[in-house]
Amino acid sequence: MSKYVGILTAGGDSPGLNAAIRGVGKAALGAYGMQVIGFRDGFRGLMQDRTMRLSGGELSGILTLGGTILGTSRDKPNKMPVGSQTMDMTEVIVDTYNRHNLDALVCLGGGGTQKNAYHLQQHGLNVITLPKTIDNDVAMTDATFGFDTALGIATEAIDRLHSTAHSHHRIIVVEVMGHNAGWLALGAGIAGGADVILMPEIDYDIDVVAEAINQRRRRGGSFSIVAVSEGAYSITDRALYKKARKRLKKAKKAEDEKEMEKAAAKLAGVELQLQDKTLHLSRQLEQLTGLVSRTTILGHLQRGGTPSAADRLLATRLGTACAGLINQNVFGVMVAARGSDTVPVPLEDVVGKRKTVPLDHDWIQTARDIGVCLGDR
Ligand code: F6P
């Protein structure tokens, strides 16, 4: 009996999603004779039963496309905004799954999607996931698709910023995506030849960064490139943020309504202030070095456009392996990349973990060895 497979993409989009949909779909249809249906806009589309046929033609010509033909959203099954409320729509999703007589649901996403898929698995669905995100921070896999493309884009940006920084003898601070992990900033910073790389894993001392730039100037380098993750914090900002969060937590524990209100307002103020932390860094560097500093925020540019060859290959490998696992009735797993292999990893081993850059990682040592300042002493 042929199997029925549903597929959705959730979380932020990532180059390689279409290659993965194509990989799962072609192998499922062609190699295993399954039937495949797409759900639009992540878990929201599954809740609303908004589908897209994936019966062959739709899978052609999408390998090189950025984004996702299915659309995506950050909605969670158990915390779905519905009107002005947030509701647990798990049962509605389970109904859709059953109505389509699905044998498996493939969820393509990052850390949040792994967690949401695991939640559905615990409600009886046969789920199987693939790891995507440009941040490369999904646990238990060597790589996520999307990262290589974003790495290329960020590296090219840093390359291009060199000539303008050089011509004007300026500092250019370039903000790279990565809220919690510094893979992109570190990788692109090394590959693009940044002089300073700041990342969430290493809180930086602004005086150390300024001194590195001043030293470089004394040696004749009239410009500097600072690659910074959006999630990098200075030591002082981190302390400020932690203190505000701790205050709110304490107030909640004490069930002190008045203090809770004050602490929440304080935290909101700190968060607002920290939204501009890269611009603030740039201004501080101007003051401390006397050089002019400009800021470039790469933002969603890093997620857009055609996937690199490496991401197409990875997404296709993971996608076809996924179809093979469904054929063998292996569920409740994420298909991970391990060296030249693909391996199923139980979702409970993935969920709740994040792959940040280990402080003893080879890339960190490499950066230090070539004299890159990482903001610490
Ligand atoms: O996909 C992960 C990521 O790229 C993060 O690096 C970034 O902070 C986030 O998505 C922003 O995404 P959005 O603007 O879509 O919420």
Side-chain angles (χ1 to χ4, degrees):
M1 267 239 312
S2 101
K3 284 195 163 83
Y4 285 81
V5 177
I7 180 164
L8 61 82
T9 54
D13 70 339
S14 185
L17 275 170
N18 287 324
I21 294 168
R22 174 178 174 271
V24 176
K26 286 205 168 200
L29 295 169
Y32 304 110
M34 300 171 186
Q35 309 222 27
V36 185
I37 183 173
F39 290 94
R40 296 182 188 272
D41 304 332
F43 296 103
R44 175 165 291 273
L46 186 57
M47 175 196 69
Q48 295 170 333
D49 198 5
R50 286 190 290 115
T51 59
M52 177 178 181
R53 272 167 60 95
L54 292 176
S55 54
E58 300 80 7
L59 299 169
S60 290
I62 64 169
L63 176 64
T64 58
L65 292 184
T68 158
I69 56 164
L70 292 174
T72 186
S73 73
R74 292 195 183 274
D75 294 316
K76 303 176 178 68
N78 58 338
K79 281 184 196 149
M80 186 84 63
V82 182
S84 58
Q85 286 175 304
T86 300
M87 294 171 71
D88 184 348
M89 301 306 276
T90 308
E91 288 313 318
V92 180
I93 284 175
V94 172
D95 279 353
T96 313
Y97 179 95
N98 290 331
R99 212 171 26 255
H100 284 277
N101 288 316
L102 294 182
D103 295 293
L105 175 69
V106 183
C107 304
L108 279 54
T113 303
Q114 309 303 323
K115 193 171 165 190
N116 292 325
Y118 183 53
H119 171 79
L120 294 181
Q121 185 209 329
Q122 288 177 314
H123 284 79
L125 271 51
N126 290 333
V127 298
I128 182 160
T129 69
L130 301 190
K132 70 89 216 176
T133 161
I134 67 161
D135 293 352
N136 197 34
D137 62 352
V138 177
M140 307 299 285
T141 180
D142 289 354
T144 57
F145 53 85
F147 174 66
D148 183 74
T149 309
L151 182 65
I153 296 169
T155 302
E156 189 190 340
I158 295 174
D159 286 350
R160 288 178 181 275
L161 291 171
H162 265 86
S163 59
T164 173
H166 181 247
S167 304
H168 287 268
H169 316 295
R170 283 171 174 163
I171 298 168
I172 294 194
V173 176
V174 50
E175 186 189 281
V176 176
M177 271 192 174
H179 256 126
N180 301 297
W183 295 107
L184 256 188
L186 183 60
I190 294 172
D195 306 293
V196 177
I197 301 174
L198 306 175
M199 46 199 269
E201 292 84 350
I202 302 176
D203 291 346
Y204 65 86
D205 180 333
I206 189 68
D207 293 321
V208 170
V209 178
E211 182 48 26
I213 292 171
N214 282 332
Q215 253 187 38
R216 192 175 133 76
R217 194 157 42 149
R218 286 197 288 275
R219 287 197 308 265
S222 67
F223 74 95
S224 283
I225 303 285
V226 179
V228 54
S229 295
E230 61 183 328
Y233 279 81
S234 69
I235 295 168
T236 26
D237 283 349
R238 179 81 75 185
L240 191 73
Y241 187 43
K242 268 192 178 164
K243 194 174 159 197
R245 281 177 46 166
K246 211 167 147 188
R247 180 174 166 188
L248 181 60
K249 206 173 153 192
K250 204 171 146 195
K252 277 186 179 165
K253 207 171 162 194
E255 293 177 9
D256 179 341
E257 293 283 340
K258 238 185 179 171
E259 171 59 9
M260 236 148 71
E261 223 172 85
K262 275 192 206 162
K266 175 72 187 169
L267 180 60
V270 169
E271 280 173 346
L272 195 68
Q273 180 188 330
L274 292 178
Q275 270 178 17
D276 284 339
K277 58 189 183 329
T278 300
L279 293 173
H280 182 59
L281 162 69
S282 184
R283 282 194 297 268
Q284 277 184 303
L285 290 178
E286 281 195 330
Q287 283 161 10
L288 293 168
T289 64
L291 287 169
V292 171
S293 179
R294 293 282 191 264
T295 306
T296 301
I297 296 179
L298 296 182
H300 295 80
L301 253 186
Q302 296 159 101
R303 292 214 313 235
T306 190
S308 67
D311 275 338
R312 293 179 204 179
L313 185 57
L314 176 63
T316 306
R317 281 175 54 221
L318 294 175
T320 53
C322 175
L325 289 165
I326 296 170
N327 189 49
Q328 293 165 35
N329 294 318
V330 179
F331 302 117
V333 297
M334 176 183 83
V335 190
R338 287 281 163 76
S340 54
D341 288 338
T342 56
V343 293
V345 180
L347 279 174
E348 59 258 40
D349 294 345
V350 179
V351 169
K353 292 182 189 147
R354 186 178 286 132
K355 190 183 74 179
T356 53
V357 183
L359 293 182
D360 60 354
H361 193 273
D362 175 65
W363 290 8
I364 290 192
Q365 194 53 48
T366 300
R368 292 197 198 280
D369 287 348
I370 53 168
V372 174
C373 168
L374 299 180
D376 52 350
R377 286 193 187 273

